[in-house]
């Protein structure tokens, strides 16, 4: 996971897919940043309220209200700016502050992304997005949050999600919130297992986040695998949905060969029909060389080149999308929570 999401508004609007002079860019030229198509994304579930999701995170991570929180966050920022990722994620003393600073916005962003994709909802047997007015925090939300998740799941009715780079728990919190939003529309009929895969000692933090998220009353279990995926190929659980969120750029920057080997290993864990969701920051898009010519390409182009047509079918994606916090959300957080600008791709295993 990275720190590259920054606050701010989108660039001035222009006609999507058009370059200067009205001509569409050729495929073999990487698109300029000004040519990326902006999207606000589809509306996802309206419950639970964003403020309630933040409350779950805050109760799970006491470091957020610690006296040295701001100082520790600044230290982390310095390490991330220097791309010393392992200096952060392999230092257990820094992990709680990292969660308190970066997980809130990410969890809400991922909640909207997962809940807004029809293919993901269908694969995970979730309800269609409710037809309400989209306002968060309805009067009966507290009453619904205390209810169960509906009838017991049928025998063998399990859905499994694997999150690469998910140690900080953004994906776990997001999935729990999506399940609650779906259950508020119609009862859930499956059990859900989420597995995080990361290099750091995130186990205690994930356990705390899972315990806090139990207040959402959804049938969700969590597991954690700690491994350096660029050097080893750990045993991976079968996954109906795999996610690589705000992680691919870091992996490629550290080892392209190791990343390629791991993507092949990950592909073997996802059966035909399973999905792979990849997303990363669009505020500071890294470029990587492909082939022998030395030409560099945006990381989302690299993702397509490595996956589409190589055991995966590309279903959709956007080069730039914004998640913006609702007015007033996070106002009392000890640090400023930022909007998230990101790109995403969704692939189906074939």
């Amino acid at each position: 996971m990275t720190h590259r999401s920054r606050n701010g508004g989108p660039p001035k609007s222009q006609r999507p897919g058009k370059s200067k002079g009205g001509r569409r860019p050729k495929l073999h030229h990487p698109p300029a940043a000004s040519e990326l198509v902006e999207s606000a994304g589809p509306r996802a579930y309206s419950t639970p309220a964003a403020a309630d999701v933040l409350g779950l995170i805050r109760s799970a991570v006491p470091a957020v209200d610690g006296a040295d929180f701001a100082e520790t966050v600044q230290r982390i920022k310095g390490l991330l700016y220097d791309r010393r990722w392992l200096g952060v994620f392999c230092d257990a003393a820094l992990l709680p502050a990292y969660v308190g600073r970066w997980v809130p916005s990410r969890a809400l962003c991922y909640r909207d992304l997962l809940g807004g994709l029809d293919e993901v909802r269908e694969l995970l047997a979730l309800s269609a997005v409710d037809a309400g007015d989209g306002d968060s925090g309805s009067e009966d939300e507290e009453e619904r949050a205390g209810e169960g998740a509906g009838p017991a799941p049928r025998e063998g009715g399990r859905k499994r999600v694997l999150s690469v780079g998910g140690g900080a728990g953004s994906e776990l919190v997001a999935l729990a919130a999506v399940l609650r939003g779906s259950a508020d529309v119609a009862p859930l009929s499956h059990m859900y297992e989420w597995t995080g895969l990361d290099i750091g000692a995130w186990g205690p933090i994930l356990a705390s986040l899972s315990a806090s998220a139990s207040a959402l009353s959804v049938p969700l279990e969590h597991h954690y695998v700690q491994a350096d995926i660029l050097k080893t190929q750990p045993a991976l659980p079968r996954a109906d949905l795999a996610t690589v969120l705000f992680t691919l750029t870091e992996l490629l920057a550290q080892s392209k060969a190791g990343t390629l080997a791991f993507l092949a290993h990950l592909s073997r864990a996802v059966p035909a029909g399973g999905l792979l969701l990849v997303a990363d920051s669009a505020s500071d898009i890294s470029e990587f060389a492909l082939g022998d010519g030395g030409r560099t390409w945006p990381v989302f182009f690299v993702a397509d080149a490595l996956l589409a047509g190589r055991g995966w079918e590309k279903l959709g994606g956007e080069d730039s999308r914004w998640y913006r916090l609702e007015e007033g959300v996070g106002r009392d957080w000890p640090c400023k929570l930022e909007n998230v600008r990101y790109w995403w791709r969704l692939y189906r295993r074939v």
Side-chain angles (χ1 to χ4, degrees):
M1 301 181 72
T2 71
H3 73 299
R4 291 183 298 275
S5 294
R6 301 192 182 109
N7 192 27
K12 293 182 179 179
S13 61
Q14 64 180 54
R15 296 178 65 186
K18 293 284 187 178
S19 59
K20 293 182 179 180
R23 298 178 60 189
R24 294 186 180 275
K26 295 181 180 180
L27 179 61
H28 59 273
H29 290 300
S34 61
E35 295 171 347
L36 300 181
V37 179
E38 295 282 359
S39 170
R43 182 173 61 85
Y45 298 113
S46 61
T47 59
D52 293 335
V53 176
L54 295 186
L56 295 175
I57 298 170
R58 193 164 193 165
S59 66
V61 188
V64 171
D65 296 303
D68 60 347
F69 176 68
E71 179 182 349
T72 307
V73 166
Q74 290 304 313
R75 180 184 171 192
I76 294 172
K77 284 184 175 180
L79 291 169
L80 295 176
Y81 182 83
D82 294 334
R83 294 201 166 195
R84 294 171 59 189
W85 296 303
L86 298 185
V88 176
F89 304 134
C90 293
D91 187 342
L94 299 181
L95 301 185
Y98 180 91
V99 172
R101 168 59 181 82
W102 280 276
V103 166
S105 295
R106 295 275 179 83
L108 294 173
C109 172
Y110 299 168
R111 187 265 301 262
D112 271 25
L113 178 59
L114 290 168
L117 294 174
D118 293 340
E119 296 89 349
V120 170
R121 291 198 307 270
E122 180 180 357
L123 180 72
L124 298 183
L126 302 177
S127 307
V129 173
D130 56 324
D133 59 9
D135 292 338
S136 297
S138 60
E139 294 180 358
D140 60 343
E141 181 177 333
E142 292 185 3
E143 179 181 348
R144 288 200 306 270
E147 296 174 353
R154 62 177 180 271
E155 183 68 24
R158 286 183 175 265
K159 297 292 185 178
R160 296 174 173 86
V161 178
L162 171 65
S163 293
V164 179
S170 301
E171 295 90 335
L172 174 61
V173 174
L175 179 59
V178 166
L179 295 179
R180 182 66 256 168
S182 178
D184 284 342
V185 179
L188 298 170
S189 59
H190 289 69
M191 287 292 298
Y192 295 85
E193 292 183 12
W194 178 88
T195 300
L197 172 63
D198 215 323
I199 193 171
W202 294 102
I205 288 177
L206 288 171
S208 184
L209 287 170
S210 180
S212 183
S214 65
L216 296 177
S217 301
V218 293
L220 175 62
E221 301 173 358
H222 92 279
H223 308 277
Y224 181 56
V225 177
Q226 183 176 353
D228 184 348
I229 59 177
L230 295 178
K231 296 180 179 179
T232 63
Q233 292 194 347
L236 300 179
R238 175 187 176 278
D240 301 296
L241 169 66
T243 68
V244 184
L245 305 181
F246 283 66
T247 298
L248 182 61
T249 296
E250 289 177 9
L251 295 177
L252 287 169
Q254 293 177 70
S255 172
K256 284 188 286 187
T259 302
L260 289 173
F262 174 74
L263 289 177
H265 183 51
L266 175 63
S267 297
R268 292 189 287 271
V270 181
L275 298 178
L276 171 62
L277 178 62
V278 183
D280 215 324
S281 173
S283 294
D284 184 13
I285 297 176
S286 297
E287 295 190 351
F288 298 92
L290 281 179
D292 299 327
R295 183 190 295 270
T296 60
W297 307 87
V299 63
F300 50 76
F301 189 99
V302 175
D304 288 339
L306 295 179
L307 295 167
R310 298 173 181 266
W312 295 93
E313 172 193 5
K314 181 180 175 182
L315 299 181
E318 295 169 277
D319 296 340
S320 184
R321 175 192 282 189
W322 279 93
Y323 172 77
R324 292 183 174 84
L325 295 165
E326 301 168 16
E327 186 68 26
V329 170
R331 183 173 295 168
D332 62 343
W333 208 258
C335 63
K336 183 178 181 181
L337 300 183
E338 299 176 346
N339 299 324
V340 182
R341 182 180 174 221
Y342 64 101
W343 61 265
W344 66 274
R345 295 291 190 272
L346 183 65
Y347 306 93
R348 177 181 286 131
R349 191 80 169 102
V350 294

